[in-house]
Amino acid sequence: MDERQPEPPSEWRYTLRVPYDPLAPAIARSVLARHALPELADIAVLLTSELLTNAWCHAPGPASLSLKWADKRLRASVWDAGLLPPHPTGCPEPYAEGGRGLALVELCADAWGSFAIGPAQGKVVWFELLPDASGRVAA
């Protein structure tokens, strides 16, 4: 009997619908930690958690997470029902409880952005990570 693990596919995609629940980022972190590439897992988990936390804090209703590995890059996208585009807040006060999420995304991702989905249908915030990106800040 051959007990070798099968080779992972060269491309994959997962979509996870998450409820409007403060536990959603933790669930997504668990899923991502098991499916991301080892060299990207820590940063991908951190940034995905930040985007889902923002969706929970700033948008009404559920959200969804899409994780895609293709063209040697990991892309995470979070859809939520919020209509306001995200914006980094700069440097928060040292003991502030929030305000660092998008700054982390901006600092650690190889690319990131957002776009609106039709009139009053929410938005998507996304980031991309490349496995061999030099100059990226480690998580």
Side-chain angles (χ1 to χ4, degrees):
M1 180 162 82
D2 188 1
E3 296 195 23
R4 291 180 292 171
Q5 294 292 327
E7 286 293 315
S10 61
E11 294 188 8
W12 49 262
R13 182 179 192 141
Y14 295 90
T15 301
L16 175 65
R17 293 185 61 163
V18 292
Y20 186 66
D21 183 333
L23 294 177
I27 293 166
R29 281 193 300 268
S30 177
V31 170
L32 185 57
R34 297 185 187 281
H35 294 291
L37 300 173
E39 65 269 25
L40 298 179
D42 290 340
I43 291 175
V45 166
L46 172 68
L47 300 184
T48 300
S49 178
E50 292 298 338
L51 293 187
L52 283 172
T53 299
N54 283 350
W56 184 76
C57 289
H58 303 294
S64 66
L65 167 66
S66 173
L67 301 170
K68 180 179 178 184
W69 173 255
D71 301 322
K72 297 183 181 180
R73 70 183 65 225
L74 177 67
R75 183 175 181 120
S77 303
V78 173
W79 168 87
D80 66 48
L83 301 178
L84 297 176
H87 55 85
T89 59
C91 185
E93 293 294 320
Y95 299 104
E97 291 186 20
R100 292 174 182 78
L102 285 177
L104 283 170
V105 173
E106 199 169 48
L107 183 65
C108 297
D110 294 302
W112 81 279
S114 68
F115 55 90
I117 306 285
Q121 295 182 14
K123 68 179 174 302
V124 172
V125 183
W126 59 270
F127 68 84
E128 288 184 348
L129 297 173
L130 304 171
D132 297 324
S134 61
R136 181 188 317 123
V137 175

